[in-house]
Amino acid sequence: MVVEEFPVGEPGAGPYGVVVGGDGAVWVTEVHHGRIGRWSGTGYSAVALPDPAGRPSVPAIGPDGALWFTETAGHRIGRVGPDGGLSSFPVPGAGPFGLTAGPDGALWFTAMNTGRVGRISTSGDVVQFDVPGGGFPAMITAGPDGALWFALNQADAIGRVTTSGDVTTHPLPTAGANPVGITATPDAVWFVEIGAGQVGRITPDGRVAEFPLPDREAKPHAIAAAPDGSCWFTEWATGRVGRIAPDGTVETHDLPGAEPHGVAVGPDGAVWVALESGALARLT
């Protein structure tokens, strides 16, 4: 395993979320400086958002090929087009955080403040759906069953919403699990429990398995599926990144920086991690 580090942004920018585009470029949110950055392999550039305090959090590649992102404090969802043009769409009071491309040609997001999940079309039309009990929805992913799955951080549960807006929830076996990150493989949905130091797996029919990490105090934060069926996850408290195999076997690797948050796997299999200490790490 080779680990490389690429400093990005200015000191204190706080690289947070990361996603790899179809062209291999790596997009990163600068949560503290209110900017969206792009690493192309030959250099790094960033565009400043109109609201520097908007806290851009989770990026996603939309079905239109553009870079979309949530602004959690700004209550907006933003878009950077292929031409570099910037636009945004208000989601009043919602605190949007998680974001993913859905199977219906739209993007789906979580609204932490209001306990909802929502859908935004590529033209900016927004509709939201209540989650029973609220639960502080965190990250969201497109599942293998054509629905969207999301982590309910304060409810110790995993939620599911169909593209028509029907919401169901699945309680987790562990109290204080506090799930945050979530991703999907072809046969299941995987998530990380920041409060319990575990990685979990739920099948479309609702069967849950949990896998304790070697370090239960690692505070796993984000998780991303790889082409081989494994998943990579960040350990925010330890400065490591981990890999979990489909059978639950875990390995971890030290990172050169601190506070790893977002993680993404590129089309070439390289793993990218956003380190809030000020860098992107690449594992090959």
Side-chain angles (χ1 to χ4, degrees), residues 102-120:
D104 56 349
L107 292 105
W108 287 74
F109 64 93
T110 58
M112 294 191 300
N113 294 355
T114 57
R116 295 173 175 169
V117 292
R119 177 187 188 273
I120 182 168

Side-chain angles (χ1 to χ4, degrees), residues 156-229:
D156 295 335
I158 300 298
R160 177 183 184 270
V161 58
T162 66
T163 54
S164 59
D166 296 323
V167 179
T168 54
T169 60
H170 302 270
L172 298 176
T174 301
N178 306 129
V180 179
I182 195 166
T183 192
T185 58
D187 62 345
V189 172
W190 291 77
F191 53 92
V192 286
E193 300 177 0
I194 197 170
Q198 299 185 135
V199 177
R201 179 182 187 270
I202 183 169
T203 57
D205 60 2
R207 290 176 293 145
V208 176
E210 294 174 311
F211 306 95
L213 298 179
D215 183 352
R216 298 296 293 275
E217 302 300 318
K219 296 192 179 301
H221 181 264
I223 187 168
D228 63 357

Side-chain angles (χ1 to χ4, degrees), residues 79-166:
R79 178 184 184 271
V80 180
D83 61 354
L86 179 66
S87 55
S88 66
F89 307 93
V91 190
F97 180 67
L99 186 68
T100 191
D104 56 349
L107 292 105
W108 287 74
F109 64 93
T110 58
M112 294 191 300
N113 294 355
T114 57
R116 295 173 175 169
V117 292
R119 177 187 188 273
I120 182 168
S121 70
T122 53
S123 58
D125 298 318
V126 174
V127 61
Q128 299 183 64
F129 307 97
D130 291 327
V131 176
F136 210 70
M139 294 187 188
I140 187 168
T141 190
D145 57 347
L148 290 303
W149 293 73
F150 52 95
L152 289 168
N153 179 258
Q154 296 299 303
D156 295 335
I158 300 298
R160 177 183 184 270
V161 58
T162 66
T163 54
S164 59
D166 296 323

